[in-house]
């Protein structure tokens, strides 16, 4: 885990259908609009990815900056979920050993384009969500 100056920022693969749905899922369940989003394909997202050793051309993880700390893979997903109303129960999943959680995460991440599809370009959020996107 490394520090980053912005907080509550989620880095995601903007051409991944599954990843884009994940972002919409979060936005719909975040009434305080705490989380902001950046696609790895954006200038800001590329800088963020490179700062944390993620290859922007072949991302294998999403990331979230929370409390000034970067979380990756299953830690990122559970950190986001556990900070949403009604989803705090997901904190118990942090008790599952990280290697096991990340094995499942890696399996989905490796096959996400094949299973869920891929956009030709980053998905365009609606006007309400657009205000929460960092480019």
């Amino acid at each position: 885990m490394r520090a980053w100056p912005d907080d509550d920022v989620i880095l995601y693969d903007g051409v991944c259908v599954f990843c884009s749905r994940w972002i919409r899922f979060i936005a719909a369940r975040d009434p305080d609009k705490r989380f902001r989003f950046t696609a790895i394909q954006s200038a800001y997202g590329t800088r963020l990815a490179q700062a944390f050793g993620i290859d922007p051309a072949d991302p294998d993880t999403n990331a979230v900056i929370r409390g000034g700390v970067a979380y990756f893979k299953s830690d990122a997903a559970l950190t986001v979920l556990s900070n949403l109303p009604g989803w705090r129960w997901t904190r118990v999943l942090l008790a599952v050993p990280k290697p096991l959680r990340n094995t499942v995460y890696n399996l989905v991440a490796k096959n996400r384009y094949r299973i869920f599809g891929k956009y030709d370009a980053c998905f365009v959020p609606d006007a309400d969500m657009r205000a929460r996107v960092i480019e």
Side-chain angles (χ1 to χ4, degrees):
M1 294 182 241
R2 300 180 199 155
W4 186 259
D6 292 325
D7 208 16
D8 293 328
V9 176
I10 299 171
L11 175 70
Y12 70 100
D13 181 354
V15 297
C16 167
V17 172
F18 178 79
C19 306
S20 297
R21 287 181 184 161
W22 165 246
I23 293 304
R24 286 186 287 238
F25 175 90
I26 295 163
R29 286 156 184 81
D30 183 14
D32 296 333
K33 298 184 179 183
R34 168 186 301 163
F35 290 104
R36 295 174 295 151
F37 315 101
T38 187
I40 200 165
Q41 292 81 4
S42 72
Y44 180 86
T46 296
R47 283 196 324 273
L48 181 63
Q50 290 171 335
F52 293 117
I54 300 169
D55 180 359
D58 187 25
D60 65 347
T61 182
N62 72 351
V64 64
I65 313 304
R66 179 88 179 116
V69 176
Y71 297 90
F72 306 94
K73 300 191 180 204
S74 64
D75 284 343
L78 293 174
T79 296
V80 170
L81 284 174
S82 67
N83 280 282
L84 296 175
W87 289 87
R88 286 178 174 76
W89 64 268
T90 60
R91 287 186 178 137
V92 301
L93 297 174
L94 291 168
V96 174
K98 188 185 224 177
L100 180 60
R101 286 188 280 122
N102 281 344
T103 296
V104 173
Y105 183 96
N106 291 336
L107 184 65
V108 173
K110 181 180 176 182
N111 295 292
R112 69 190 185 279
Y113 295 147
R114 187 174 55 77
I115 296 169
F116 301 102
K118 183 176 179 180
Y119 296 121
D120 291 330
C122 288
F123 93 100
V124 178
D126 62 28
D128 184 49
M129 196 172 144
R130 189 93 185 114
R132 298 170 67 184
V133 173
I134 304 171
E135 297 192 64

